[in-house]
Amino acid sequence: MSVSIARFGVYVHVPFCASRCDYCDFATWTDRGHLIGGYVDACVRDVERRALAPATSVFFGGGTPSLVEAAQLVRILDAIPRAPGAEVTVECNPDSVDRAKLDAYAAAGVNRLSLGVQSMRTHVLALLGRTHDPANVTRTVEWARASGFTNINLDLIYGTPGESVDDWKATLDGALALGPSHVSAYALTVEPGTPLGRAVAAGDRVAPDDDDQAVKYELADDRLHAAGLQWYEISNWARPGHECRHNLLYWSQGEYVGIGCAAHGHTLEAEGWACRWWNVRTPDRYLTAIAAGNLPEVGHERLDPGTREGERLTLGLRTRDGIKLERASAERSPVGLPPVDACIDELAGAGLLEVRGEGATLTRRGRLLANEVTARLLASLDASLGDRAGAPAGTR
């Protein structure tokens, strides 16, 4: 793909919500609004202490970033050094954003919006525990365009029990009528501990149907492609040049820093190693750590080259670029060794992978079975590493 991969990103987690969706298991709170002012101050202090390099992408996620006052969000953004042309995304709920807020975002340098639409059918929104209606979405997009935004993502969810195929078609048609530059479409998943998870476990609601979700995924892929949005990651479609650079950074194993509670970071180290780290989960603990002059990090893991290779396969397979089958250093990459080669041949023969030259990409059928494909490739990777570990000296 032609888009440039970002080299350094900053993710800011805004953990506050007006209400909690039935399916959500993110680190968000509906009863901590009194902490917002202090939380914003803490995020600014955290950024300033880290003396960050200029970011090529900044992403405000949540939670509901648009729930806080525009001036508060802009304070955090202003503290983050940015490279020229940096992509700056704010996730917005159609219920908590207005024209004045969008004007303030645009003036501060926000150039990408991600709207939590989920569905354009009122009864499906109710089943998901969402509080907005389709009219909110249309109005928000109109305001965004009037504020000068041309890069707008619509987040959709498919496969909600009670959502018919016609409902999903109506959602796709309604979303495409708004002319988005990017669409993310995710299959509904049932997470333990959520209201939806508890209802399914109690037998009060049925779980999503895999076959129904597969049909709806293919329908989305067809309609989005016909409208000029190309898939570039299993759940993401974009017009050329509008791929989300911040997410591409994640999928290419780049470096990023997490600001705020429950945020994660990823730092590259020497000789193929890396470190993944994460902050304390609650906003209360985050404020306490920053006030005490401490780093808010609560845990980390070091990733050796073999682990990173497995992650490269897992992440790369999700994208249109796929995975490279040959690497410059055979000593640092097991790809090209017999177990992996044989697995790739089997997957290609089953119609799950398309092999072109030195690369392999998931077919659409492969995208539907991505977890199985990944598991088989990782098993072959483990076998390759085991073979190399046991090979006689001089043959590795």
Side-chain angles (χ1 to χ4, degrees), residues 56-58 85-89 111-112 151 243-247:
T56 45
S57 67
V58 180
E87 175 192 84
V88 181
T89 302
N111 50 29
R112 186 174 184 273
N151 198 354
E243 297 85 352
C244 179
R245 283 186 271 155
H246 191 80
N247 284 342

Side-chain angles (χ1 to χ4, degrees), residues 42 49 280 282-294 296:
R49 288 176 183 173
V280 293
T282 69
D284 314 65
R285 292 179 63 197
Y286 181 76
L287 265 67
T288 298
I290 298 300
N294 299 325

Side-chain angles (χ1 to χ4, degrees), residues 235-254:
S235 300
N236 290 274
W237 293 257
R239 300 191 189 281
H242 288 83
E243 297 85 352
C244 179
R245 283 186 271 155
H246 191 80
N247 284 342
L248 285 168
L249 173 66
Y250 294 154
W251 301 323
S252 63
Q253 298 179 296

